[in-house]
Amino acid sequence: MGQVYLAQDTQLDRPLALKLLPAKFTDDVDRLRRFKQEARATSALNHPNILTIYEIGEADGAHFIATEFIDGITLRLHLGRNSLKMAEALEIAVQMTSALSAAHQAGVVHRDIKPENVMLRTDGYVKILDFGLAKLAERETVDSEAITLAETDPGVVMGTVGYMSPEQARGRAVDARSDIFSMGVVLYEMLAGRSPFAGNSTSSVLVSILEREPPPLARFIPDVPPEMQRIITRTLAKSREDRYQTARDLYTDLKNFKQELDFNLKLASSTKWQEGELPSGGATTHIGKGADTVVEEGSNLFQTLNPTQQRFSHTSRRLSRDEPIDSLAVLPLVNASADPNAEYLSDGITESIINSLSQLPQLRVMARSTVFRYKGQEVDPIEVGNALDVRAVMLGRVLQIGEQLVIKAELVDVLDGSNLWGAQYNRKPADILAVQDEISGEIFENLRLRLTGDHKEKLGKRYTDNTEAYQLYLKGRYHTGKATREALHKGIEYFNQAIAVDPAYALAYSGLAEAYYGLSSAHLPPKEAMPRARAAAMKALEIDDTLAEAHASLGLVKVFYDWDWAGAETEYRRAIDLNPGYASAHHWYGWYLALMGRLDQATGEMQRAQELDPLSLEITADLGLSFFFARQYERAIEQFQKALEMDQNFIWARFFIGWAKEQQGLNDEAIAEFQRAAQVEDASVIKAALGHAYAAGGKIEEAQAILTELQQTSERKQGSPYDLAIIHTALGEHEKAFEHLENARENRSEALVWLKVDPRLDPLRTNPQFIDLMRRVGLPL
């Protein structure tokens, strides 16, 4: 379709791939049409596994497409160098089908899926490229599902022989299911090391595609799992009605099978057989009592047991019960009471157990925000444990009837589904503190961990012995967790009531600090909210200097209000030292490091936070901001997309994608993202971003309209003058921008922490006024 060059974007200082249609082909109408078709088809797609288009255009008579530069090799080259294991082939196939699903949903059929059009990046990402034969499709409903159709001129065969679907080979209309067939060919080739349709000539290959079934995988892969053969057979069905009907269906089967395979391999490496271990060719060989087969680590376990037997059979093998379990998810206890007002109790007990166990350095405990995403769901503890990569899962129920409190809990080993421990407690509500201590102690004992005296003291530590104060504290946590203005104020009421009952309740003061921080800027002026947050955090530390939560809360105040950067780092590091399993401390410290421009360290802390809180939307998105501040916009977008995959309604991920798109020069796409975000969240920071994008794109009237709206918001002491400053910066009105930045400094606006890293302020950075402002805010230059 053209010639591709490695080029340098001098404006954004990044490498890119430049695809040119040579001038001598400009008069070739069909070639020019297909070149433009590729650009239109690919630019309609936005997916981490599809090549990103930066720009299309014409210069000096040459048509060009500017795309991201992919640092890697083609799948074809990789296949020539390596014999792929099943796990690697499945990982590539999962990413490819995810991309095809997105393309088909956007109405694009690729029509030329083959190893040459798949690239493997050095970081493991798979990229599909070269949509030169793609068709922007019509849509036809088949069996209540949208099937994408792309018309081909009758009798014209388009595609690459060997990877064509039967309908392609006949020159007939093709649809999404043609890509699925081609995907099956590629998957077969990755697994078997050869094409499923062999032949000495083009015509013989076509006959093979149309009339012959491919050899079974078992001919090339001994003991191939039946599920893998089933997937291949369905993918390569001659009739498209017999194939997978959507790429999403194929993606689901491949992903589920890969997870099953990963689980079984992990099970094999962790299983201890009763009869001992024998070496075999450098690998560990386990002989199972009563088993007829020998299973080597890393081999395919389907030859011995089916998936259900592998998980739950206890007759042929026995797991070792003396090795410690180092990872745990405490699922939200179910409120079994008829009273919804008792919800705070089940949530609070769950959170207290998590907080207690997370202080043990040798135990990785999933954070509250991750496990609470399972709240209200019927869950399989084994599936949850595998999804969160933990060895054990605790689950249970809480029932309160009058003066009777019943708590039932059990601990499940994710490896084999066995019950490690279970108990039922029938107590009075006044005994809630004691029963929580018992549950935490039982869990710890059954995880077979060893503790020092200091860690035992942490595990059994109570912050109050007053049951009334504790229940008021739980109500405060329950309401502040909702994060709305009304809920935060309600939480503050309960924390103050808890403190009135027990003035030495440090944890209640820490909760008060977090609540006031939550109100700052969005619901209360920083000058009103932040001093209260600081006072509460310092009071908590005055009572108990070992309270990690209070150190972390004080760190927030020092960053976002005091601009005491060195002091903030001290507080965050102290919080992490006191409780290495406290995800929020790692998260907030990562934020601090990013704002300081220490981006490698920031990424490390964010990744540690994500290990502890893998389902946190905020942490997943904020990890992307570390890349964004480093001007790695494509990598940032990929990370933001992961947050969206977790929750399509998480509007801040879309907002951040808009930021990155704007910095890539994709102004229209950025504006679209900001507009979608603004429809859901009426926040001044979103409107300001939209105004900045309008101004940067030359839409001056639209930018001025947002400026007027934000000015009125600012006069009502809502939002931040910083929002006005960035729009004026984009309009080239630098003096007005500095006026608003100075106003933001006087009002202690939280947004000023972005000064060092916000790329939208780059036009101001060399101005002496900006340098002086940085000094007065205390930021390193």
Side-chain angles (χ1 to χ4, degrees):
M1 297 302 300
Q3 297 171 322
V4 184
Y5 296 86
L6 174 62
Q8 185 71 12
D9 184 336
T10 57
Q11 185 175 5
L12 296 178
D13 191 25
R14 62 181 175 184
L16 52 79
L18 195 62
K19 189 169 190 175
L20 295 177
L21 181 64
K24 63 181 180 179
F25 292 130
T26 302
D27 294 333
D28 185 334
V29 176
D30 182 62
R31 185 184 291 265
L32 180 60
R33 178 184 60 80
R34 284 195 283 156
F35 188 84
K36 291 180 178 179
Q37 176 67 25
E38 175 184 5
R40 285 198 300 272
T42 314
S43 63
L45 306 174
N46 181 11
H47 190 276
N49 297 119
I50 295 176
L51 181 78
T52 300
I53 295 285
Y54 293 151
E55 183 182 0
I56 60 175
E58 182 180 357
D60 299 326
H63 294 268
F64 70 87
I65 306 174
T67 76
E68 67 174 314
F69 165 64
I70 301 175
D71 182 11
I73 61 173
T74 65
L75 177 57
R76 171 64 67 208
L77 186 58
H78 187 60
L79 289 173
R81 295 175 178 175
N82 304 277
S83 176
L84 271 60
K85 293 183 178 179
M86 187 170 296
E88 183 183 3
L90 282 171
E91 176 59 33
I92 294 170
V94 165
Q95 294 191 51
M96 287 179 66
T97 50
S98 178
L100 287 177
S101 177
H104 296 164
Q105 289 174 13
V108 177
V109 181
H110 190 287
R111 300 201 301 173
D112 199 19
I113 294 296
K114 58 185 178 182
E116 288 81 358
N117 286 340
V118 179
M119 288 199 70
L120 312 179
R121 286 193 343 192
T122 55
D123 60 2
Y125 267 91
V126 175
K127 290 278 188 176
I128 291 182
L129 54 150
D130 202 349
F131 282 71
L133 296 182
K135 280 286 187 180
L136 295 178
E138 301 168 356
R139 300 190 71 84
E140 173 181 290
T141 300
V142 178
D143 295 333
S144 302
E145 290 197 47
I147 301 297
T148 307
L149 296 180
E151 292 299 328
T152 303
D153 294 336
V156 177
V157 177
M158 300 185 71
T160 301
V161 174
Y163 298 91
M164 292 180 178
S165 64
E167 57 270 23
Q168 258 180 303
R170 289 189 172 98
R172 295 177 180 174
V174 300
D175 62 30
R177 293 167 291 184
S178 294
D179 282 349
I180 291 170
F181 186 97
S182 302
M183 179 68 232
V185 176
V186 174
L187 179 56
Y188 186 106
E189 188 173 350
M190 287 194 290
L191 293 169
R194 51 152 286 168
S195 171
F197 304 111
N200 297 323
S201 64
T202 297
S203 58
S204 62
V205 172
L206 289 175
V207 169
S208 181
I209 290 172
L210 293 171
E211 299 178 0
R212 297 170 189 158
E213 293 298 328
L217 284 174
R219 184 175 299 178
F220 312 104
I221 309 174
D223 305 304
V224 63
E227 175 66 4
M228 187 73 262
Q229 183 62 64
R230 184 193 69 81
I231 292 173
I232 285 288
T233 300
R234 187 176 177 189
T235 306
L236 295 178
K238 304 296 185 188
S239 170
R240 61 187 181 190
E241 284 73 23
D242 294 332
R243 286 177 220 148
Y244 285 94
Q245 296 300 288
T246 67
R248 173 56 57 178
D249 293 340
L250 174 58
Y251 168 83
T252 299
D253 274 7
L254 287 170
K255 187 173 182 180
N256 288 342
F257 176 65
K258 182 179 181 298
Q259 290 174 344
E260 191 75 41
L261 185 64
D262 291 344
F263 173 85
N264 291 327
L265 292 176
K266 182 183 289 187
L267 183 62
S269 65
S270 301
T271 300
K272 303 296 182 182
W273 295 79
Q274 285 182 310
E275 295 290 317
E277 299 182 354
L278 296 174
S280 175
T284 303
T285 304
H286 305 290
I287 304 178
K289 182 179 181 181
D292 295 324
T293 56
V294 175
V295 183
E296 293 186 2
E297 286 191 18
S299 70
N300 190 333
L301 295 184
F302 286 81
Q303 60 190 320
T304 57
L305 302 169
N306 65 38
T308 302
Q309 290 173 323
Q310 290 164 23
R311 289 187 178 186
F312 300 112
S313 173
H314 302 287
T315 58
S316 63
R317 61 179 173 79
R318 180 174 62 84
L319 292 173
S320 171
R321 292 300 176 194
D322 55 0
E323 60 184 41
I325 293 175
D326 61 359
S327 53
L328 170 70
V330 180
L331 295 184
L333 296 175
V334 176
N335 173 26
S337 305
D339 183 9
N341 293 322
E343 198 79 16
Y344 81 92
L345 193 60
S346 55
D347 286 3
I349 294 173
T350 306
E351 186 173 352
S352 295
I353 294 171
I354 291 171
N355 291 343
S356 177
L357 293 170
S358 68
Q359 298 185 66
L360 306 179
Q362 65 269 62
L363 180 63
R364 179 169 58 91
V365 183
M366 292 296 99
R368 179 191 189 279
S369 60
T370 279
V371 296
F372 268 70
R373 287 177 68 84
Y374 293 99
K375 182 177 170 66
Q377 300 180 27
E378 291 290 334
V379 296
D380 177 346
I382 292 181
E383 291 180 0
V384 171
N386 284 320
L388 299 181
D389 192 26
V390 295
R391 172 70 186 276
V393 171
M394 193 208 96
L395 60 164
R397 308 171 74 83
V398 178
L399 175 65
Q400 183 174 2
I401 305 175
E403 287 302 305
Q404 189 71 13
L405 180 66
V406 181
I407 301 176
K408 185 175 182 180
E410 62 176 321
L411 189 65
V412 177
D413 190 331
V414 173
L415 209 57
D416 66 348
S418 63
N419 188 287
L420 293 169
W421 161 81
Q424 180 170 308
Y425 302 86
N426 300 295
R427 304 291 174 82
K428 295 186 180 299
D431 298 326
I432 186 173
L433 289 164
V435 76
Q436 284 181 181
D437 291 346
E438 286 186 53
I439 292 173
S440 296
E442 291 281 3
I443 292 172
F444 164 74
E445 183 176 334
N446 284 278
L447 295 177
R448 300 181 293 278
L449 297 171
R450 294 181 179 180
L451 287 185
T452 64
D454 180 51
H455 294 143
K456 287 181 180 178
E457 183 180 342
K458 281 186 175 182
L459 188 63
K461 182 174 182 177
R462 292 187 190 174
Y463 294 96
T464 184
D465 289 317
N466 189 299
T467 303
E468 181 185 358
Y470 179 65
Q471 292 203 351
L472 289 166
Y473 168 77
L474 292 186
K475 290 179 180 179
R477 293 295 304 175
Y478 176 74
H479 285 285
T480 54
K482 297 179 180 179
T484 65
R485 181 179 183 277
E486 294 74 15
L488 288 167
H489 279 293
K490 193 71 174 175
I492 287 171
E493 287 181 25
Y494 281 119
F495 289 137
N496 280 325
Q497 290 176 34
I499 290 166
V501 173
D502 182 359
Y505 197 176
L507 206 55
Y509 279 107
S510 180
L512 202 58
E514 283 190 44
Y516 275 119
Y517 170 75
L519 286 171
S520 182
S521 290
H523 307 296
L524 280 179
K527 284 189 173 182
E528 184 177 342
M530 284 299 215
R532 296 181 185 180
R534 185 203 300 117
M538 293 184 70
K539 181 63 177 177
L541 293 174
E542 178 186 320
I543 297 169
D544 184 355
D545 186 61
T546 67
L547 188 58
E549 291 88 340
H551 282 288
S553 294
L554 187 55
L556 288 173
V557 176
K558 287 182 176 294
V559 168
F560 290 98
Y561 187 74
D562 293 339
W563 303 332
D564 177 4
W565 310 108
E569 183 164 21
T570 298
E571 297 299 334
Y572 288 139
R573 292 177 68 89
R574 175 66 171 152
I576 292 170
D577 287 342
L578 289 168
N579 187 353
Y582 185 25
S584 293
H586 290 283
H587 180 197
W588 297 338
Y589 185 36
W591 245 113
Y592 163 86
L593 292 167
L595 295 171
M596 294 296 99
R598 294 156 60 182
L599 299 171
D600 288 342
Q601 290 175 274
T603 300
E605 286 297 328
M606 289 288 190
Q607 288 173 335
R608 176 55 179 157
Q610 195 171 48
E611 289 173 8
L612 296 165
D613 201 353
L615 299 187
S616 168
L617 296 171
E618 291 78 8
I619 292 174
T620 300
D622 288 351
L623 176 56
L625 284 177
S626 297
F627 305 140
F628 175 81
F629 292 147
R631 307 314 199 246
Q632 298 175 19
Y633 300 123
E634 187 61 29
R635 192 176 179 189
I637 290 173
E638 290 172 357
Q639 186 64 32
F640 299 145
Q641 289 284 3
K642 291 179 182 178
L644 272 184
E645 288 171 8
M646 293 163 62
D647 185 351
Q648 287 293 318
N649 297 318
F650 184 51
I651 203 63
W652 295 106
R654 293 202 174 279
F655 173 68
F656 294 147
I657 289 173
W659 265 6
K661 291 285 187 183
E662 183 182 7
Q663 294 305 313
Q664 288 181 320
L666 304 173
N667 237 54
D668 289 342
E669 292 183 32
I671 288 171
E673 294 290 358
F674 294 144
Q675 288 173 335
R676 292 174 67 179
Q679 289 173 357
V680 178
E681 185 76 25
D682 184 26
S684 60
V685 67
I686 295 177
K687 293 177 181 176
L690 180 58
H692 184 277
Y694 279 144
K699 299 181 179 181
I700 307 304
E701 290 185 8
E702 291 88 339
Q704 290 289 353
I706 290 181
L707 261 180
T708 301
E709 182 181 354
L710 288 180
Q711 186 68 52
Q712 294 170 350
T713 301
S714 181
E715 290 170 358
R716 296 194 301 269
K717 299 190 181 301
Q718 299 171 341
S720 169
Y722 186 94
D723 298 331
L724 298 168
I726 64 164
I727 299 179
H728 283 297
T729 301
L731 290 169
E733 300 167 354
H734 293 181
E735 285 305 314
K736 288 184 179 179
F738 280 118
E739 288 178 18
H740 291 298
L741 288 174
E742 187 60 35
N743 190 15
R745 190 195 67 81
E746 291 173 0
N747 287 282
R748 311 296 295 189
S749 170
E750 293 180 21
L752 280 188
V753 301
W754 297 74
L755 276 177
K756 182 177 178 64
V757 291
D758 191 340
R760 297 171 299 177
L761 294 178
D762 285 354
L764 306 180
R765 295 198 181 280
T766 57
N767 191 303
Q769 286 179 265
F770 190 86
I771 296 171
D772 180 59
L773 178 63
M774 288 271 288
R775 287 198 182 100
R776 285 182 290 148
V777 174
L779 284 165
L781 299 175

